Amino acid sequence: MRRLKKIGIVLAVLYVLLLGVTYAFQEKLIFIPSKMPANHVYDFCQPYEEFWLAAPDGARLNAVHIQNNSQKGVVLYFHGNSGNISHLIHVANLVTRYDYDAIFVDYRTYGKSTGELSEAAIKSDAQLFYDYTKQRYDESTIVVYGRSFGTGVASGLAAENNPCKLILESPFYSAVALGKHRFPIFPIDLLSNYRFPSNEYVQRVKCPITIIHGTADRIIPFEQAQDLFTQVPDGQGTFYTVEGGGHNYLQDFDVFKKAMDTALK
């Protein structure tokens, strides 16, 4: 019994230490930024303008404005938790195919952007880019589009503003719910500094919402998107199931193309 007690104490101490490490380094578990030299020249097929916005805390935020001289409007796009703007050539091709302009945003520490990460800072930065977009386009022509991690940013932004459409590709129910799925042994409710409650946000969104998710997604379970869709006001959302689709390359499926044909018509 004494030996079992010692083992129990050791395991408890290790668990507490693991909790502390997880809390202290949660940004490393959530964000996988890919940095880019400040002098990098983006390789988009379309005419574009690279621009910077200054955050109140001094962070410099990098973005690209794809300029197709569209009469339809613009897609304000928030990517996932890895990569950067330079990886969005296929998105630029998709958006311009539907005759929209596009604005691609790099979060703090991603690409050329600088600053310290926090949920409040990411939300504030997103609003800066939305305000930039509103200065150049009528708000009734702004489509907010988020993918993966970016769906939490996009849904929160749409809840606070009045875009014409919200597109969520491979979304989570909330960052906390996703954290519980990935790390079931930890009290994520207490540990997480990143909550992004998309389930609450979509209830306040006033425009049509399109949700697209693959059934074979191993990063964000398909059920998270299903649960999120139950929070969308009746008659305001459309859910597209991509059978066999994983977390990436949904654009290769006909269902995804159908979703885009409807959302970006």
Side-chain angles (χ1 to χ4, degrees):
M1 290 294 294
R2 185 176 298 176
R3 186 174 181 179
L4 288 176
K5 185 176 181 180
K6 288 182 178 179
I7 292 174
I9 291 173
V10 170
L11 290 176
V13 170
L14 289 175
Y15 179 73
V16 171
L17 289 174
L18 191 56
L19 285 179
V21 170
T22 302
Y23 178 79
F25 293 97
Q26 59 187 279
E27 275 86 4
K28 299 291 184 181
L29 295 173
I30 298 172
F31 302 104
I32 313 172
S34 177
K35 294 187 179 297
M36 189 67 63
N39 63 352
H40 175 80
V41 178
Y42 292 110
D43 187 24
F44 291 101
C45 300
Q46 302 81 5
Y48 72 87
E49 175 189 2
E50 180 182 0
F51 68 96
W52 300 79
L53 295 183
D57 65 354
R60 298 187 72 233
L61 309 172
N62 186 242
V64 164
H65 186 177
I66 301 291
Q67 298 176 330
N68 194 40
N69 295 319
S70 171
Q71 301 302 309
K72 292 175 68 175
V74 62
V75 173
L76 178 58
Y77 187 89
F78 297 92
H79 62 68
N81 71 330
S82 63
N84 58 49
I85 289 172
S86 70
H87 300 158
L88 300 179
I89 293 174
H90 67 290
V91 183
N93 293 339
L94 169 72
V95 169
T96 54
R97 190 181 312 139
Y98 287 96
D99 196 29
Y100 278 86
D101 291 351
I103 293 175
F104 299 143
V105 175
D106 259 339
Y107 312 116
R108 293 160 178 249
T109 75
Y110 284 73
K112 303 180 185 182
S113 293
T114 67
E116 295 186 6
L117 285 166
S118 72
E119 182 168 358
I122 293 171
K123 290 179 179 178
S124 176
D125 296 346
Q127 187 62 53
L128 279 178
F129 282 107
Y130 193 88
D131 293 341
Y132 169 93
T133 306
K134 275 206 308 182
Q135 291 172 4
R136 289 155 180 81
Y137 299 86
D138 191 284
E139 190 172 18
S140 65
T141 68
I142 298 175
V143 178
V144 176
Y145 191 144
R147 181 185 175 277
S148 189
F149 168 77
T151 61
V153 182
S155 57
L157 189 64
E160 298 298 330
N161 296 278
N162 295 292
C164 66
K165 298 173 185 176
L166 172 64
I167 301 174
L168 303 176
E169 179 185 341
S170 304
F172 49 74
Y173 185 77
S174 71
V176 170
L178 182 59
K180 288 179 178 179
H181 167 76
R182 290 185 178 176
F183 307 103
I185 66 170
F186 295 144
I188 298 298
D189 279 323
L190 300 177
L191 289 178
S192 182
N193 289 329
Y194 295 88
R195 313 193 79 79
F196 288 102
S198 297
N199 58 306
E200 297 176 11
Y201 293 148
V202 295
Q203 296 177 38
R204 297 191 283 114
V205 173
K206 297 176 281 296
C207 65
I209 302 175
T210 298
I211 296 179
I212 312 162
H213 209 106
T215 59
D217 193 327
R218 296 184 179 181
I219 305 299
I220 301 177
F222 178 69
E223 292 74 20
Q224 292 247 336
Q226 288 181 307
D227 291 342
L228 179 64
F229 188 65
T230 67
Q231 303 303 305
V232 175
D234 289 344
Q236 195 174 318
T238 307
F239 191 101
Y240 292 89
T241 299
V242 183
E243 293 290 346
H247 193 65
N248 300 311
Y249 307 113
L250 293 186
Q251 68 270 14
D252 295 336
F253 290 80
D254 288 340
V255 173
F256 180 89
K257 296 171 185 175
K258 178 182 178 182
M260 292 297 103
D261 285 344
T262 303
L264 297 178
K265 62 183 178 181

